Amino acid sequence: MLSILRRRAAAGGSDAVLLSERLRKSCAAAMMRFQGYTTAAKEMTVREALNSVLDEEMSADPRVFLMGEEVGEYQGAYKVSKGLLQKFGPERVVDTPITEAGFTGIGVGAAYYGLRPVVEFMTFNFAMQAIDHIINSAAKTNYMSAGNISVPIVFRGPNGAAAGVGAQHSHCYAAWYGSCPGLKVLVPYSSEDARGLLKAAIRDPDPVVFLENELMYGERFPVSAEALDSSFCLPIGKAKIEREGKDVTITAFSKMVGLSLEAAEILAKEGISAEVINLRSIRPLDRSTINASVRKTNRLVTVEEGFPQHGVGAEIGMSIVEDSFGYLDAPIERITGADVPMPYAANLERMALPQIEDIVRAAKRVCYRSVPMAATA
Amino acid sequence: MSAAFSSVRAVCHPGSFAGEKRGPPATAASGKFASGFLGSSGKVWFGALPAYVRAAPSARRRGSFSVVAVSDVVKEKKPKRSSSPPDLLVTKEEGLELYEDMVLGRTFEDMCAQMYYRGKMFGFVHLYNGQEAVSTGFIKLLKQEDCVVSTYRDHVHALSKGVSSRAVMSELFGKTTGCCRGQGGSMHMFSKEHNLLGGFAFIGEGIPIATGAAFTSKYRREVLKEADCDHVTVAFFGDGTCNNGQFYECLNMAALWKLPIVFVVENNLWAIGMSHLRATSDPQIWKKGPAFGMPGVHVDGMDVLKVREVAKEAIGRARRGEGPTLVECETYRFRGHSLADPDELRDPAEKAHYAARDPIVALKKYIRENNLASEAELKAIDKKIDEVIEDAVEFADASPPPSRSQLLENVFADPKGFGIGPDGRYRCEDPKFTEGTAHV
């Protein structure tokens, strides 16, 4: 309803813009007053957010098209592309055969030649079949061609662990793509992130790897009127402080932001004020925000689903050592996935992934609060 | 020259079993889009009829074209222009253009070998000697807007497409005046101006890129409504690539979506030291075209006029929107795989056999025998090309190497991709960044 009001307002000229400003403000105020009362704020799942962005960006720019397995008639393996085929037709919502190397390369070639493809992977695990095109054809070409050929393409799909899908469907690739120059790597957590980051990715002139999370698609988040605006874009490379705190900095991305926020709640009850940073962007990494936070809290815990060695946490930790070593009051702690291929059994899988209590324990350790030893698996 | 294609039988009717493969769910309804783009229209299940009922006619139509496989190409053609004698394949101007382009390719590559051994260029340098008829035969028929996608053996494709000898030589010398400012190198020639979408160092990597360019041409015509966009993409690759999965994936999609592309196999019989016959279950690569529902053609790749005839048909077919063609050009490289290859595995008799069929000598013979040009005219071209290459070398030699600031340029089209520095500003805004000294 809000968006309809705003659209009407926008149509009425400058007075109407003022009106819309006022509307937005009063709505924001209303949202604050009725916090927790869901009908007051517009809510949206991450899936709906992604879907709405694809819809809006394809409407705005005819060069944007979506291709991948089951994106069309099936409406998306995870229904992210629901309704798009009906709206844009099979020429812009392109169902491909099961040929990642082939269709990813076709997408990259289309980007070389002037289109703005969005390539969906059913999961980023399958992108391994196409990594040659993501790294060699997409990431390196602007440089190799000395700016002759830019590659405005988005590779998107679910990344990391889902539930019970085993080793070949549960890998987090943030650190892999994050290590490659020429790529931008975005990791949305909330619906607002999904909207602002996916729009930024589609409009960006460079290749963007957009790592979603299957378990987050159905999560609902409140979204502001601003985030619902079709012009809403988040800056690439800027992290968001999801919760301010003063005792310990916790960095996280994607699903792990939610766990970290829950951990922060628990820590607050025990008198520890945790600052939770939602990275939003793995590459470029917002070293400025992370370092500023650590200089304030003097302690750092990094959280990620991926493997420990050469992980995102390793990079963040090193950036603190380089830029803010003198501010640290405790060793940096990394909470990561276990250093094993993902096991299938539910209990083992749980042990292989970071849990809220792991984050709480690590935060307490860096604050030198005595904690019981972690139970040995 | 439709004879090469039309003289043979249809060997494949994929439409005859379309519809049986996938029945819709019992409750599914069907609707239809007007556009025929990507050939998958009419199968969207939200209208009134079961999908296969609607899909079948279009599938049948798609499957009904003649898929052709020929291995012998008709040699003599009717005249293309009244100015040329009635039994010739080319006019004087065309013949000399082909000759000049092939001599340019050959002379350039010979100079590369010299410069490589003198240490002026480095890394892997793969020369094209012997294969000139393929590059010239196809690329000289293309327009500036048409795309060429090459491999690591890409210097001559770049030259044929119009990139200057100076720009290619400088690139090989690693100089800032190169077509990629020294950032690409021998295996990675790009030129946006000439729609050269790259040399690729991986086997098979260029094929999907080329297919994507062809997809774009179709998209521009049918979605962006650029009615005059009839651009064609030509993808060059070797026999070794034809055992790689990306080749098959793209033959499938290009035929499925009727993309304006020509897949050109430069079958030089050897993948480094692996004989084609030792690597491929059925060595007749052209046969793989009909398997995907597109024409497959075999042509003598040592004869530029034959290549040109086949190329005309295939490019015309693509330009008319009738879909892709697979062309196998049987050719031979006169040098090793790269300048670092000792080339010990190829039989000297085999090398001699193909050396005797040098495509430049053959064209020269054709031109002289048919009195298209005098010996003096051909000599004048040789001399002109020698001068062009000398000039390119001098230019490359005198050009400056890339400045330090170039190190960090072009990693991103938007340099904000380097992120935000400790001072809270974008790193690319740091003046030291462009000096190449800023920490990234």
Side-chain angles (χ1 to χ4, degrees):
Chain A
M1 181 207 76
L2 182 62
S3 62
I4 292 171
L5 276 175
R6 293 198 56 252
R7 224 174 296 139
R8 279 201 199 130
S14 56
D15 286 348
V17 173
L18 280 176
L19 174 66
S20 106
E21 272 302 304
R22 242 176 269 136
L23 261 172
R24 198 184 300 174
K25 278 184 190 141
S26 67
C27 282
M31 272 160 65
M32 282 165 75
R33 269 201 302 281
F34 295 102
Q35 211 161 24
Y37 184 58
T38 53
T39 51
K42 165 94 174 164
E43 278 201 346
M44 184 175 227
T45 62
V46 171
R47 177 185 287 110
E48 289 160 354
L50 295 168
N51 179 273
S52 65
V53 169
L54 290 169
D55 188 344
E56 289 165 21
E57 293 304 297
M58 287 177 73
S59 298
D61 184 347
R63 296 171 303 170
V64 178
F65 70 97
L66 177 67
M67 75 190 303
E69 292 154 7
E70 309 291 6
V71 297
E73 297 192 9
Y74 197 85
Q75 308 282 296
Y78 295 105
K79 307 300 174 198
V80 170
S81 55
K82 191 175 177 191
L84 298 181
L85 174 71
Q86 284 78 350
K87 183 161 177 187
F88 297 102
E91 59 274 79
R92 295 185 66 198
V93 183
V94 183
D95 274 326
T96 66
I98 308 167
T99 57
E100 275 82 7
F103 74 71
T104 306
I106 288 175
V108 174
Y112 278 21
Y113 201 38
L115 300 184
R116 303 186 81 91
V118 178
V119 170
E120 174 173 315
F121 293 116
M122 202 178 283
T123 110
F124 259 93
N125 297 270
F126 302 164
M128 288 296 93
Q129 302 236 340
I131 198 161
D132 180 33
H133 286 291
I134 300 173
I135 305 294
N136 281 309
S137 313
K140 297 178 182 174
T141 294
N142 197 66
Y143 192 82
M144 288 199 301
S145 71
N148 254 292
I149 312 278
S150 64
V151 192
I153 188 170
V154 179
F155 305 103
R156 52 155 289 270
N159 168 69
V165 292
Q168 290 191 341
H169 280 63
S170 303
H171 198 142
C172 172
Y173 291 96
W176 286 45
Y177 295 115
S179 76
C180 183
L183 289 180
K184 295 168 183 175
V185 183
L186 304 183
V187 277
Y189 158 63
S190 65
S191 302
E192 177 189 89
D193 290 2
R195 273 189 63 80
L197 293 176
L198 185 55
K199 274 182 181 278
I202 292 172
R203 295 174 190 186
D204 197 81
D206 290 305
V208 179
V209 172
F210 194 86
L211 302 170
E212 300 158 11
N213 187 300
E214 184 193 327
L215 299 176
M216 298 303 291
Y217 283 142
E219 292 290 313
R220 290 192 163 274
F221 291 90
V223 278
S224 64
E226 187 195 11
L228 285 171
D229 193 279
S230 67
S231 67
F232 177 68
C233 240
L234 286 169
I236 291 178
K238 198 86 191 90
K240 180 189 180 190
I241 296 175
E242 290 280 349
R243 178 188 174 114
E244 287 198 31
K246 57 183 177 49
D247 296 331
V248 55
T249 298
I250 302 174
T251 65
F253 58 93
S254 190
K255 184 166 181 286
M256 291 297 122
V257 176
L259 270 64
S260 299
L261 288 170
E262 288 186 56
E265 277 295 313
I266 294 168
L267 289 165
K269 292 193 184 107
E270 302 189 23
I272 294 174
S273 161
E275 178 146 303
V276 177
I277 297 179
N278 169 8
L279 294 175
R280 281 185 166 167
S281 172
I282 299 296
R283 184 186 189 94
L285 189 64
D286 188 353
R287 290 167 66 129
S288 171
T289 297
I290 299 165
N291 274 278
S293 174
V294 172
R295 288 179 186 201
K296 178 175 73 174
T297 65
N298 311 110
R299 294 170 171 85
L300 173 66
V301 174
T302 69
V303 187
E304 68 190 297
E305 275 185 25
F307 302 130
Q309 189 163 344
H310 311 303
V312 174
E315 180 61 31
I316 292 173
M318 194 62 204
S319 91
I320 296 300
V321 169
E322 285 171 344
D323 295 342
S324 308
F325 183 72
Y327 292 84
L328 284 174
D329 283 349
I332 297 164
E333 290 248 9
R334 279 183 288 168
I335 303 296
T336 68
D339 206 6
V340 296
M342 185 63 73
Y344 166 71
N347 64 327
L348 292 180
E349 186 186 65
R350 190 174 190 284
M351 286 180 228
L353 288 169
Q355 304 296 332
I356 295 167
E357 51 271 28
D358 298 322
I359 304 169
V360 170
R361 266 199 304 270
K364 285 184 176 175
R365 277 197 298 269
V366 299
C367 292
Y368 301 115
R369 299 284 194 93
S370 63
V371 283
M373 290 290 289
T376 45
Chain B
M1 146 70 213
S2 55
F5 287 174
S6 59
S7 64
V8 280
R9 65 238 177 265
V11 294
C12 158
H13 290 276
S16 57
F17 35 84
E20 294 170 20
K21 238 170 70 183
R22 52 193 274 187
T27 54
S30 164
K32 178 167 177 162
F33 289 105
S35 163
F37 187 77
L38 303 192
S40 66
S41 61
K43 287 194 249 176
V44 185
W45 298 343
F46 50 87
L49 286 169
Y52 64 88
V53 174
R54 287 172 169 274
S58 76
R60 216 174 284 135
R61 179 163 37 77
R62 271 192 287 130
S64 66
F65 69 84
S66 296
V67 175
V68 180
V70 291
S71 61
D72 55 334
V73 171
V74 182
K75 290 185 183 174
E76 300 304 313
K77 290 287 159 315
K78 59 180 191 290
K80 293 288 176 287
R81 294 191 193 161
S82 54
S83 64
S84 118
D87 59 342
L88 292 185
L89 291 161
V90 284
T91 63
K92 171 175 180 170
E93 294 71 33
E94 288 168 341
L96 292 183
E97 185 198 15
L98 301 180
Y99 180 78
E100 179 171 330
D101 192 56
M102 288 167 74
V103 172
L104 173 69
R106 179 71 58 86
T107 315
F108 186 94
E109 296 292 65
D110 284 341
M111 183 58 83
C112 285
Q114 279 191 44
M115 292 298 124
Y116 179 83
Y117 292 126
R118 271 196 231 162
K120 293 287 186 187
M121 49 186 77
F122 23 86
F124 294 123
V125 176
H126 309 81
L127 301 186
Y128 198 72
N129 299 50
Q131 303 184 193
E132 294 88 352
V134 183
S135 176
T136 300
F138 272 90
I139 297 177
K140 285 295 146 192
L141 291 169
L142 296 178
K143 301 190 285 190
Q144 174 111 348
E145 301 77 32
D146 294 328
C147 283
V148 164
V149 176
S150 180
T151 65
Y152 44 80
R153 203 180 300 286
D154 57 353
H155 315 162
V156 175
H157 294 139
L159 295 172
S160 291
K161 196 68 176 63
V163 184
S164 74
S165 298
R166 282 182 163 198
V168 179
M169 191 64 83
S170 293
E171 187 62 28
L172 288 160
F173 275 49
K175 297 298 181 71
T176 195
T177 50
C179 57
C180 299
R181 305 202 303 161
Q183 291 170 206
S186 168
M187 300 187 282
H188 305 298
M189 298 289 171
F190 294 87
S191 170
K192 192 185 183 107
E193 180 193 349
H194 299 94
N195 285 299
L196 173 69
L197 294 191
F200 293 90
F202 288 86
I203 290 299
E205 187 191 357
I207 299 179
I209 299 296
T211 311
F215 177 93
T216 304
S217 298
K218 192 173 168 88
Y219 190 98
R220 285 171 61 179
R221 191 169 63 242
E222 298 183 10
V223 178
L224 303 182
K225 306 296 178 200
E226 298 174 20
D228 58 343
C229 181
D230 62 352
H231 309 156
V232 172
T233 299
V234 179
F236 294 95
F237 48 92
D239 45 287
T241 304
C242 297
N243 296 318
N244 179 292
Q246 297 185 65
F247 171 59
Y248 299 99
E249 295 185 14
C250 290
L251 285 187
N252 177 51
M253 283 182 273
L256 181 70
W257 298 334
K258 282 183 110 180
L259 301 182
I261 185 168
V262 186
F263 298 100
V264 181
V265 187
E266 298 180 316
N267 182 358
N268 61 24
L269 312 180
W270 290 85
I272 308 185
M274 173 60 112
S275 158
H276 179 52
L277 300 177
R278 210 158 63 79
T280 309
S281 59
D282 181 347
Q284 292 174 296
I285 297 166
W286 57 270
K287 279 187 180 170
K288 285 155 189 165
F292 287 91
M294 73 176 76
V297 187
H298 177 271
V299 64
D300 177 2
M302 303 304 271
D303 184 334
V304 68
L305 299 178
K306 287 183 191 167
V307 171
R308 187 177 161 91
E309 291 305 303
V310 169
K312 260 184 205 164
E313 181 71 21
I315 292 167
R317 191 176 129 75
R319 213 178 290 290
R320 292 191 301 271
E322 293 167 16
T325 307
L326 173 65
V327 180
E328 177 184 1
C329 303
E330 188 184 325
T331 181
Y332 204 72
R333 58 172 153 78
F334 291 169
R335 291 176 175 271
H337 167 72
S338 74
L339 286 172
D341 174 18
D343 192 20
E344 291 162 340
L345 289 167
R346 298 191 301 172
D347 183 352
E350 180 185 286
K351 291 188 205 178
H353 168 74
Y354 283 99
R357 305 190 54 227
D358 187 319
I360 297 179
V361 174
L363 179 65
K364 200 170 175 176
K365 186 160 170 273
Y366 184 90
I367 288 174
R368 289 297 302 122
E369 278 176 359
N370 291 289
N371 274 320
L372 280 170
S374 69
E375 192 66 35
E377 282 174 290
L378 297 178
K379 283 251 156 59
I381 290 175
D382 295 348
K383 184 162 178 291
K384 174 181 153 194
I385 295 300
D386 281 342
E387 285 163 8
V388 165
I389 302 300
E390 281 299 329
D391 168 74
V393 168
E394 279 167 27
F395 175 79
D397 214 27
S399 292
S403 65
R404 183 169 186 152
S405 68
Q406 224 181 288
L407 177 66
L408 295 178
E409 287 172 6
N410 307 125
V411 175
F412 298 100
D414 174 6
K416 292 211 275 289
F418 281 108
I420 298 163
D423 59 356
R425 292 190 304 156
Y426 283 106
R427 283 204 159 89
C428 57
E429 291 164 359
D430 179 349
K432 283 195 186 136
F433 181 85
T434 50
E435 291 164 22
T437 52
H439 175 83
V440 291

